[in-house]
mmCIF file of all heavy atoms in Angstrom:
data_model
loop_
_atom_site.group_PDB
_atom_site.id
_atom_site.type_symbol
_atom_site.label_atom_id
_atom_site.label_comp_id
_atom_site.label_asym_id
_atom_site.label_seq_id
_atom_site.Cartn_x
_atom_site.Cartn_y
_atom_site.Cartn_z
ATOM 1 N N TYR T 172 20.718 -63.067 -26.045
ATOM 2 C CA TYR T 172 20.534 -62.826 -24.617
ATOM 3 C C TYR T 172 19.408 -63.686 -24.054
ATOM 4 O O TYR T 172 19.487 -64.150 -22.917
ATOM 5 C CB TYR T 172 20.278 -61.342 -24.346
ATOM 6 C CG TYR T 172 20.332 -61.012 -22.875
ATOM 7 C CD1 TYR T 172 21.557 -60.957 -22.219
ATOM 8 C CD2 TYR T 172 19.178 -60.783 -22.154
ATOM 9 C CE1 TYR T 172 21.620 -60.669 -20.867
ATOM 10 C CE2 TYR T 172 19.233 -60.493 -20.797
ATOM 11 C CZ TYR T 172 20.458 -60.437 -20.157
ATOM 12 O OH TYR T 172 20.512 -60.160 -18.816
ATOM 13 N N SER T 173 18.381 -63.925 -24.844
ATOM 14 C CA SER T 173 17.294 -64.799 -24.388
ATOM 15 C C SER T 173 17.789 -66.227 -24.189
ATOM 16 O O SER T 173 17.320 -66.930 -23.299
ATOM 17 C CB SER T 173 16.147 -64.798 -25.395
ATOM 18 O OG SER T 173 15.501 -63.554 -25.404
ATOM 19 N N ASP T 174 18.732 -66.646 -25.014
ATOM 20 C CA ASP T 174 19.276 -67.998 -24.918
ATOM 21 C C ASP T 174 20.270 -68.157 -23.769
ATOM 22 O O ASP T 174 20.410 -69.245 -23.217
ATOM 23 C CB ASP T 174 19.964 -68.394 -26.226
ATOM 24 C CG ASP T 174 18.984 -68.589 -27.361
ATOM 25 O OD1 ASP T 174 17.785 -68.776 -27.086
ATOM 26 O OD2 ASP T 174 19.421 -68.538 -28.527
ATOM 27 N N ASP T 175 20.978 -67.085 -23.429
ATOM 28 C CA ASP T 175 22.007 -67.160 -22.390
ATOM 29 C C ASP T 175 21.975 -65.907 -21.532
ATOM 30 O O ASP T 175 22.592 -64.901 -21.860
ATOM 31 C CB ASP T 175 23.392 -67.333 -23.025
ATOM 32 C CG ASP T 175 24.504 -67.474 -22.008
ATOM 33 O OD1 ASP T 175 24.214 -67.591 -20.795
ATOM 34 O OD2 ASP T 175 25.680 -67.464 -22.426
ATOM 35 N N ARG T 176 21.249 -65.977 -20.429
ATOM 36 C CA ARG T 176 21.090 -64.826 -19.527
ATOM 37 C C ARG T 176 22.368 -64.463 -18.788
ATOM 38 O O ARG T 176 22.450 -63.394 -18.202
ATOM 39 C CB ARG T 176 19.982 -65.097 -18.500
ATOM 40 C CG ARG T 176 18.626 -65.209 -19.091
ATOM 41 C CD ARG T 176 18.261 -63.893 -19.673
ATOM 42 N NE ARG T 176 16.936 -63.969 -20.249
ATOM 43 C CZ ARG T 176 16.194 -62.920 -20.435
ATOM 44 N NH1 ARG T 176 16.609 -61.731 -20.102
ATOM 45 N NH2 ARG T 176 15.020 -63.041 -20.996
ATOM 46 N N THR T 177 23.362 -65.330 -18.790
ATOM 47 C CA THR T 177 24.615 -65.020 -18.112
ATOM 48 C C THR T 177 25.604 -64.313 -19.031
ATOM 49 O O THR T 177 26.664 -63.892 -18.583
ATOM 50 C CB THR T 177 25.268 -66.304 -17.562
ATOM 51 O OG1 THR T 177 25.581 -67.172 -18.649
ATOM 52 C CG2 THR T 177 24.339 -67.006 -16.570
ATOM 53 N N ALA T 178 25.261 -64.188 -20.302
ATOM 54 C CA ALA T 178 26.164 -63.557 -21.270
ATOM 55 C C ALA T 178 26.332 -62.072 -20.959
ATOM 56 O O ALA T 178 25.395 -61.408 -20.515
ATOM 57 C CB ALA T 178 25.623 -63.729 -22.677
ATOM 58 N N THR T 179 27.511 -61.574 -21.209
ATOM 59 C CA THR T 179 27.757 -60.140 -21.068
ATOM 60 C C THR T 179 27.392 -59.454 -22.373
ATOM 61 O O THR T 179 27.370 -60.093 -23.438
ATOM 62 C CB THR T 179 29.229 -59.848 -20.738
ATOM 63 O OG1 THR T 179 30.038 -60.291 -21.840
ATOM 64 C CG2 THR T 179 29.657 -60.543 -19.453
ATOM 65 N N ILE T 180 27.134 -58.177 -22.295
ATOM 66 C CA ILE T 180 26.779 -57.435 -23.509
ATOM 67 C C ILE T 180 27.958 -57.440 -24.486
ATOM 68 O O ILE T 180 27.763 -57.490 -25.699
ATOM 69 C CB ILE T 180 26.288 -56.005 -23.180
ATOM 70 C CG1 ILE T 180 25.544 -55.388 -24.364
ATOM 71 C CG2 ILE T 180 27.419 -55.109 -22.743
ATOM 72 C CD1 ILE T 180 24.218 -56.017 -24.675
ATOM 73 N N GLU T 181 29.175 -57.441 -23.952
ATOM 74 C CA GLU T 181 30.359 -57.472 -24.820
ATOM 75 C C GLU T 181 30.431 -58.786 -25.600
ATOM 76 O O GLU T 181 30.770 -58.781 -26.786
ATOM 77 C CB GLU T 181 31.635 -57.272 -23.997
ATOM 78 C CG GLU T 181 31.801 -55.885 -23.428
ATOM 79 C CD GLU T 181 31.006 -55.648 -22.144
ATOM 80 O OE1 GLU T 181 30.582 -56.637 -21.495
ATOM 81 O OE2 GLU T 181 30.774 -54.482 -21.811
ATOM 82 N N SER T 182 30.118 -59.899 -24.943
ATOM 83 C CA SER T 182 30.161 -61.188 -25.647
ATOM 84 C C SER T 182 29.043 -61.270 -26.691
ATOM 85 O O SER T 182 29.235 -61.852 -27.761
ATOM 86 C CB SER T 182 30.067 -62.355 -24.665
ATOM 87 O OG SER T 182 28.802 -62.420 -24.056
ATOM 88 N N ILE T 183 27.917 -60.670 -26.392
ATOM 89 C CA ILE T 183 26.821 -60.640 -27.364
ATOM 90 C C ILE T 183 27.203 -59.795 -28.569
ATOM 91 O O ILE T 183 26.994 -60.196 -29.709
ATOM 92 C CB ILE T 183 25.528 -60.132 -26.698
ATOM 93 C CG1 ILE T 183 25.014 -61.184 -25.719
ATOM 94 C CG2 ILE T 183 24.467 -59.783 -27.731
ATOM 95 C CD1 ILE T 183 23.872 -60.722 -24.859
ATOM 96 N N TYR T 184 27.790 -58.632 -28.314
ATOM 97 C CA TYR T 184 28.251 -57.779 -29.421
ATOM 98 C C TYR T 184 29.290 -58.494 -30.268
ATOM 99 O O TYR T 184 29.297 -58.386 -31.493
ATOM 100 C CB TYR T 184 28.863 -56.483 -28.898
ATOM 101 C CG TYR T 184 27.893 -55.462 -28.375
ATOM 102 C CD1 TYR T 184 28.353 -54.346 -27.704
ATOM 103 C CD2 TYR T 184 26.519 -55.584 -28.556
ATOM 104 C CE1 TYR T 184 27.484 -53.387 -27.220
ATOM 105 C CE2 TYR T 184 25.646 -54.632 -28.078
ATOM 106 C CZ TYR T 184 26.134 -53.534 -27.406
ATOM 107 O OH TYR T 184 25.275 -52.585 -26.934
ATOM 108 N N LYS T 185 30.181 -59.228 -29.612
ATOM 109 C CA LYS T 185 31.236 -59.940 -30.337
ATOM 110 C C LYS T 185 30.636 -60.992 -31.267
ATOM 111 O O LYS T 185 31.031 -61.102 -32.433
ATOM 112 C CB LYS T 185 32.198 -60.586 -29.337
ATOM 113 C CG LYS T 185 33.414 -61.188 -29.965
ATOM 114 C CD LYS T 185 34.368 -61.692 -28.901
ATOM 115 C CE LYS T 185 35.614 -62.270 -29.548
ATOM 116 N NZ LYS T 185 36.561 -62.750 -28.543
ATOM 117 N N LYS T 186 29.653 -61.763 -30.769
ATOM 118 C CA LYS T 186 29.002 -62.774 -31.601
ATOM 119 C C LYS T 186 28.232 -62.125 -32.749
ATOM 120 O O LYS T 186 28.244 -62.623 -33.875
ATOM 121 C CB LYS T 186 28.064 -63.625 -30.761
ATOM 122 C CG LYS T 186 28.783 -64.545 -29.811
ATOM 123 C CD LYS T 186 27.821 -65.306 -28.937
ATOM 124 C CE LYS T 186 28.565 -66.149 -27.915
ATOM 125 N NZ LYS T 186 27.654 -66.836 -26.999
ATOM 126 N N ALA T 187 27.572 -61.008 -32.469
ATOM 127 C CA ALA T 187 26.842 -60.297 -33.521
ATOM 128 C C ALA T 187 27.806 -59.739 -34.568
ATOM 129 O O ALA T 187 27.520 -59.783 -35.766
ATOM 130 C CB ALA T 187 25.997 -59.171 -32.920
ATOM 131 N N ALA T 188 28.952 -59.245 -34.111
ATOM 132 C CA ALA T 188 29.949 -58.703 -35.040
ATOM 133 C C ALA T 188 30.455 -59.793 -35.989
ATOM 134 O O ALA T 188 30.615 -59.541 -37.189
ATOM 135 C CB ALA T 188 31.111 -58.096 -34.263
ATOM 136 N N VAL T 189 30.668 -60.981 -35.469
ATOM 137 C CA VAL T 189 31.118 -62.094 -36.318
ATOM 138 C C VAL T 189 30.035 -62.429 -37.342
ATOM 139 O O VAL T 189 30.322 -62.574 -38.528
ATOM 140 C CB VAL T 189 31.481 -63.319 -35.458
ATOM 141 C CG1 VAL T 189 31.699 -64.550 -36.318
ATOM 142 C CG2 VAL T 189 32.714 -63.030 -34.618
ATOM 143 N N LYS T 190 28.800 -62.535 -36.875
ATOM 144 C CA LYS T 190 27.714 -62.901 -37.777
ATOM 145 C C LYS T 190 27.498 -61.851 -38.883
ATOM 146 O O LYS T 190 27.264 -62.194 -40.033
ATOM 147 C CB LYS T 190 26.415 -63.080 -36.995
ATOM 148 C CG LYS T 190 25.229 -63.409 -37.891
ATOM 149 C CD LYS T 190 23.971 -63.660 -37.111
ATOM 150 C CE LYS T 190 22.779 -63.796 -37.992
ATOM 151 N NZ LYS T 190 22.565 -65.097 -38.551
ATOM 152 N N PHE T 191 27.590 -60.574 -38.516
ATOM 153 C CA PHE T 191 27.304 -59.507 -39.476
ATOM 154 C C PHE T 191 28.566 -58.919 -40.112
ATOM 155 O O PHE T 191 28.502 -57.892 -40.785
ATOM 156 C CB PHE T 191 26.473 -58.411 -38.805
ATOM 157 C CG PHE T 191 25.091 -58.875 -38.456
ATOM 158 C CD1 PHE T 191 24.778 -59.298 -37.171
ATOM 159 C CD2 PHE T 191 24.100 -58.928 -39.422
ATOM 160 C CE1 PHE T 191 23.506 -59.748 -36.852
ATOM 161 C CE2 PHE T 191 22.823 -59.375 -39.112
ATOM 162 C CZ PHE T 191 22.527 -59.795 -37.820
ATOM 163 N N ARG T 192 29.694 -59.575 -39.866
ATOM 164 C CA ARG T 192 30.974 -59.200 -40.492
ATOM 165 C C ARG T 192 31.325 -57.729 -40.287
ATOM 166 O O ARG T 192 31.525 -56.967 -41.252
ATOM 167 C CB ARG T 192 30.954 -59.529 -41.978
ATOM 168 C CG ARG T 192 30.829 -60.997 -42.258
ATOM 169 C CD ARG T 192 30.935 -61.272 -43.736
ATOM 170 N NE ARG T 192 30.791 -62.688 -43.963
ATOM 171 C CZ ARG T 192 29.949 -63.199 -44.832
ATOM 172 N NH1 ARG T 192 29.185 -62.417 -45.557
ATOM 173 N NH2 ARG T 192 29.865 -64.496 -44.986
ATOM 174 N N CYS T 193 31.357 -57.352 -39.018
ATOM 175 C CA CYS T 193 31.757 -55.988 -38.677
ATOM 176 C C CYS T 193 32.477 -56.048 -37.334
ATOM 177 O O CYS T 193 32.781 -57.125 -36.843
ATOM 178 C CB CYS T 193 30.542 -55.062 -38.619
ATOM 179 S SG CYS T 193 29.306 -55.509 -37.394
ATOM 180 N N THR T 194 32.748 -54.905 -36.755
ATOM 181 C CA THR T 194 33.422 -54.871 -35.461
ATOM 182 C C THR T 194 32.406 -54.776 -34.326
ATOM 183 O O THR T 194 31.254 -54.397 -34.532
ATOM 184 C CB THR T 194 34.378 -53.672 -35.363
ATOM 185 O OG1 THR T 194 33.603 -52.467 -35.433
ATOM 186 C CG2 THR T 194 35.410 -53.693 -36.486
ATOM 187 N N LYS T 195 32.874 -55.113 -33.143
ATOM 188 C CA LYS T 195 32.037 -55.027 -31.953
ATOM 189 C C LYS T 195 31.567 -53.589 -31.725
ATOM 190 O O LYS T 195 30.406 -53.350 -31.387
ATOM 191 C CB LYS T 195 32.843 -55.534 -30.757
ATOM 192 C CG LYS T 195 32.073 -55.680 -29.485
ATOM 193 C CD LYS T 195 32.899 -56.351 -28.405
ATOM 194 C CE LYS T 195 33.929 -55.389 -27.887
ATOM 195 N NZ LYS T 195 34.572 -55.827 -26.653
ATOM 196 N N SER T 196 32.451 -52.632 -31.976
ATOM 197 C CA SER T 196 32.071 -51.225 -31.792
ATOM 198 C C SER T 196 31.050 -50.781 -32.842
ATOM 199 O O SER T 196 30.203 -49.926 -32.565
ATOM 200 C CB SER T 196 33.296 -50.315 -31.806
ATOM 201 O OG SER T 196 33.960 -50.388 -33.044
ATOM 202 N N SER T 197 31.097 -51.377 -34.029
ATOM 203 C CA SER T 197 30.093 -51.063 -35.050
ATOM 204 C C SER T 197 28.718 -51.551 -34.628
ATOM 205 O O SER T 197 27.715 -50.869 -34.845
ATOM 206 C CB SER T 197 30.452 -51.702 -36.390
ATOM 207 O OG SER T 197 31.601 -51.122 -36.924
ATOM 208 N N VAL T 198 28.665 -52.723 -34.016
ATOM 209 C CA VAL T 198 27.388 -53.244 -33.520
ATOM 210 C C VAL T 198 26.829 -52.285 -32.475
ATOM 211 O O VAL T 198 25.664 -51.905 -32.522
ATOM 212 C CB VAL T 198 27.547 -54.668 -32.938
ATOM 213 C CG1 VAL T 198 26.263 -55.114 -32.249
ATOM 214 C CG2 VAL T 198 27.937 -55.649 -34.025
ATOM 215 N N GLU T 199 27.680 -51.882 -31.538
ATOM 216 C CA GLU T 199 27.232 -50.961 -30.492
ATOM 217 C C GLU T 199 26.731 -49.646 -31.081
ATOM 218 O O GLU T 199 25.678 -49.142 -30.696
ATOM 219 C CB GLU T 199 28.378 -50.700 -29.514
ATOM 220 C CG GLU T 199 27.973 -49.814 -28.367
ATOM 221 C CD GLU T 199 29.077 -49.650 -27.342
ATOM 222 O OE1 GLU T 199 30.227 -50.024 -27.618
ATOM 223 O OE2 GLU T 199 28.765 -49.141 -26.267
ATOM 224 N N LYS T 200 27.467 -49.117 -32.039
ATOM 225 C CA LYS T 200 27.080 -47.860 -32.679
ATOM 226 C C LYS T 200 25.773 -48.016 -33.452
ATOM 227 O O LYS T 200 24.889 -47.153 -33.389
ATOM 228 C CB LYS T 200 28.187 -47.385 -33.624
ATOM 229 C CG LYS T 200 27.868 -46.085 -34.349
ATOM 230 C CD LYS T 200 28.915 -45.776 -35.398
ATOM 231 C CE LYS T 200 28.724 -46.763 -36.489
ATOM 232 N NZ LYS T 200 29.064 -46.526 -37.807
#
Side-chain angles (χ1 to χ4, degrees):
Y172 190 74
S173 291
D174 291 341
D175 182 8
R176 294 295 180 157
T177 62
T179 63
I180 197 69
E181 291 81 18
S182 68
I183 290 171
Y184 286 171
K185 188 175 181 179
K186 289 176 184 176
V189 169
K190 178 177 172 84
F191 292 98
R192 296 185 181 129
C193 61
T194 64
K195 188 173 74 167
S196 62
S197 293
V198 172
E199 183 175 12
K200 179 188 71 153

